[in-house]
Amino acid sequence: MSDAERPIDDHVPGAEDEEFEPVQVFPEAEEMDLRPGADNCYKCSTCDTNCPVAEVDDEFPGPKFQGPEQWRLKRQEDHDIDDSVMKCSNCMRCDAACPSEVPLSQMHNTARAEYVEENMSKLSREYWRNRMLANYRRLAPLGAAFPRTANFVTGLSITKWLGEKLLGITSERELPEFATETFREWWAKRGGAQVTNPDKRVAYFHGCYANYNTPEVAKALVRVYEHFGYEILLPDQDCSGTPMFANGMLEDARRAAETNVEELAAAIRDGADVVASCSSCSMSLRQEYPELFDFEDTESVAENTWDALEYLRVHEDLERELEGTEVEGFDDFAYHAPCHSRNQGLDRQTIELMDAIDGIEAHDVGDSCSGISGTYGWKAENYETSMAIGEEMFEHMEDAPAETGLTECPTCSMQMGHGTGYEIKHTLEVLEAALVGPEAGGSE
């Protein structure tokens, strides 16, 4: 099934047939191999003009300095990584903007890891705050074990106040609630896959948030894919590593990636393709893994990983299936394409899918970044910057003839709701309502 053509961005590894020779950015970090072209920067500054952080923060030097210029300094002299690298939000828009395909985001990831290892005190509040945010997968099971208690405690004003004073986590945001039943608990209770089909088989990488916080998104994927006759495998999995990359916890990301690659590669050998419902998760598996890690089967997993909507559009006639369908309880949507979807060349697919459903229209609210960028907007020192970045998106959402938001990124969803007060849905939930109907959620 993975031999089909798929419309992905040229910057995503695995899309080209030619082999590449990795370029070592920092000599002392022997395991950190990156894409070719790291020395191809000719200082056009396109990356800087496309950087949402640089647009609102005059003190942030921008992607060009954080990547190629720091690299050149590192090659020529004993030069410490500049602490401004921690202000990079890891939106990765610079990768798509660069005309020379300089591996900017992965140079930033490598630089952050070196800065954290060599320059950040392991006793500092910032280090432990970042480590906690980066390793949400380790903390979430504690909250999920007692969800009602956890939700009550985290919703208290005193808890948010203490979180900001002691850890530097902004008190301006509402902490996400834990589901009373995780997706994997629901999956086990229903008896696993309800379709057996060795000819149509997918391994679902649900990620942390869909498991612990929004299982309705993961359930929607299951029901939509089973509607098309797919057998769904649910491999053991760790965090995709995206928050770890963004916080310079590269060894944590390596350990998570090893688990994911091992489990997903086994599913691929069993005839499955990998699908992810979170745009950051698919981006991590497809681009960041092969650029940063070189253990066995990393390339195979990257080449056989798909965004969940993208996969159905390529392998099924999804638009035709949606023609003439209607959905109850939904009106028009204000749609935001996450940066990590745009970087995969998938920014228009949701708009086109919604056009096929009768009575529904998704209004694209522009190509601006939401501003939250995973854990970035949860840090107290970044909150105002995060909201300034998201201001354009908020304004476009409020101007759109819709009062419900739509996106495929869980943290973009948080920012959209936070900035507008709108209810936010995942595209898979709309597809579930159109293709399967409202009765699907009652019996499973």
Side-chain angles (χ1 to χ4, degrees), residues 89-104:
S89 70
N90 200 39
C91 70
M92 303 172 72
R93 293 169 75 96
C94 52
D95 278 355
C98 179
S100 296
E101 299 190 4
V102 175
L104 289 151

Side-chain angles (χ1 to χ4, degrees), residues 141-212:
L142 299 177
F146 306 99
R148 292 182 176 85
T149 301
N151 293 338
F152 174 75
V153 172
T154 57
L156 295 173
S157 298
I158 186 64
T159 303
K160 292 187 284 186
W161 182 84
L162 286 171
E164 180 160 332
K165 295 300 180 183
L166 298 179
L167 293 170
I169 296 174
T170 181
S171 60
E172 297 292 333
R173 298 187 185 276
E174 296 294 326
L175 293 168
E177 292 190 348
F178 292 99
T180 54
E181 179 183 61
T182 69
F183 167 64
R184 293 188 80 98
E185 289 171 345
W186 171 84
W187 177 264
K189 186 181 295 185
R190 86 192 288 254
Q194 302 297 296
V195 174
T196 301
N197 188 349
D199 296 323
K200 295 178 72 172
R201 183 175 286 172
V202 294
Y204 178 28
F205 189 88
H206 51 69
C208 308
Y209 201 73
N211 184 45
Y212 294 108

Side-chain angles (χ1 to χ4, degrees), residues 66-136:
Q66 301 297 347
E69 292 185 8
Q70 285 210 97
W71 174 50
R72 289 168 179 142
L73 288 171
K74 289 292 293 183
R75 288 201 304 180
Q76 295 170 8
E77 56 187 279
D78 184 14
H79 185 273
D80 287 339
I81 299 296
D82 192 83
D83 62 359
S84 62
V85 75
M86 299 305 293
K87 288 188 174 184
C88 167
S89 70
N90 200 39
C91 70
M92 303 172 72
R93 293 169 75 96
C94 52
D95 278 355
C98 179
S100 296
E101 299 190 4
V102 175
L104 289 151
S105 68
Q106 301 316 317
M107 297 177 80
H108 302 157
N109 284 338
T110 308
R112 264 193 301 274
E114 182 170 321
Y115 176 80
V116 169
E117 180 62 29
E118 297 187 2
N119 299 96
M120 185 180 288
S121 169
K122 305 307 181 290
L123 300 177
S124 67
R125 181 182 80 163
E126 182 183 9
Y127 176 81
W128 285 104
R129 186 271 312 276
N130 292 359
R131 194 167 188 84
M132 183 180 71
L133 290 174
N135 286 276
Y136 178 73

